[in-house]
Amino acid sequence: MTDNTDSPTTSEFDRRSFILMAGAAGTAMVPLTARAAGTPAEAAAAPDASAPVNVTLRVNGASQSISIDPRTTLLDALREHIGLTGSKKGCDHGQCGACTVLIDGRRVVSCLTLALAAEGQQILTIEGLAKNGKLHPMQQAFIDQDAFQCGYCTPGQIVSAVACVTEGHANSDDNIREYMSGNICRCAAYPNIVAAVKQAAPAILSDQQKG
Ligand code: FES
Ligand code: FES
């Protein structure tokens, strides 16, 4: 009879060998993993996404040169860097229209537009509508028709309403409601807003035809 007490069986030897080999293999994996993640020096050399960049925006006919984080929205650039606080931040998610401005005549929600993407284009905000101390016809119509209560949505409503007219969508109450539906009014001044758009439309279309 053979005594195997002091010497490993073939199966024990194999198990120990496997564990040792696996351990060695695991150790060998460490530098490979570290290499995949990059050395500290490589990580330090990665570009800083928030490094300021210079941008010149054309707002209400004037050039505005600012230095901003490239991730800055047009709304924040207007409000925080240029000082035009007429455009409002309601939802900051593109859902309420309070931040509406025109870029080359087209409505955009400035909270979802990067300021850098607007460079070289004509930006029109609520502050750019009045001329020579005279209110824009749409501003006057909102006053005449009592088309606001708290007023928070109003700058976005007015800018959007101007585009609604110039786009040719102010030809019926239903169309006005449809094409103004991106602008939410918590005070529910909707009937008065429709009345204001109808009041201002002829004057705006007349100016548009004159060029
Ligand atoms: Fe931009 Fe609401 S703040 S859509
Ligand atoms: Fe108050 Fe429109 S007037 S949200």
Side-chain angles (χ1 to χ4, degrees):
M1 186 173 173
T2 305
D3 182 0
N4 289 330
T5 306
D6 296 329
S7 60
T9 63
T10 301
S11 62
E12 283 172 331
F13 178 81
D14 286 345
R15 187 170 68 248
R16 285 182 188 137
S17 300
F18 175 80
I19 291 169
L20 287 171
M21 287 171 65
T27 304
M29 285 294 289
V30 171
L32 291 175
T33 308
R35 198 175 301 133
T39 65
E42 287 169 338
D48 178 4
S50 66
V53 295
N54 297 323
V55 60
T56 299
L57 299 177
R58 189 84 182 151
V59 185
N60 300 331
S63 291
Q64 304 281 353
S65 295
I66 52 178
S67 180
I68 53 173
D69 181 321
R71 300 164 297 182
T72 303
T73 65
L74 178 57
L75 179 60
D76 284 342
L78 290 169
R79 291 180 57 85
E80 310 299 333
H81 295 269
I82 299 176
L84 294 176
T85 56
S87 306
K88 298 294 183 254
K89 184 178 283 188
C91 63
D92 210 18
H93 283 77
Q95 295 173 347
C96 73
C99 64
T100 303
V101 301
L102 303 186
I103 295 183
D104 287 346
R106 296 177 59 197
R107 293 182 265 189
V108 301
V109 280
S110 58
C111 69
L112 291 189
T113 304
L114 285 176
L116 288 180
E119 191 168 26
Q121 297 170 287
Q122 297 290 335
I123 302 162
L124 181 70
T125 72
I126 186 70
E127 291 91 344
L129 284 180
K131 293 279 184 286
N132 303 319
K134 188 169 184 290
L135 290 178
H136 186 279
M138 191 62 78
Q139 292 173 307
Q140 188 61 56
F142 266 65
I143 294 171
D144 293 346
Q145 299 295 336
D146 199 19
F148 51 85
Q149 291 184 41
C150 77
Y152 197 81
C153 73
T154 308
Q157 297 278 5
I158 291 175
V159 170
S160 190
V162 171
C164 177
V165 173
T166 58
E167 290 163 5
H169 295 134
N171 47 9
S172 71
D173 287 16
D174 283 350
N175 266 349
I176 292 170
R177 287 193 193 94
E178 174 69 20
Y179 286 94
M180 289 296 292
S181 61
N183 291 80
I184 307 300
C185 178
R186 290 286 185 186
C187 301
Y190 298 114
N192 308 60
I193 291 170
V194 171
V197 175
K198 286 165 64 178
Q199 175 184 318
I204 294 171
L205 290 172
S206 172
D207 286 348
Q208 190 180 29
Q209 284 171 357
K210 290 177 195 163

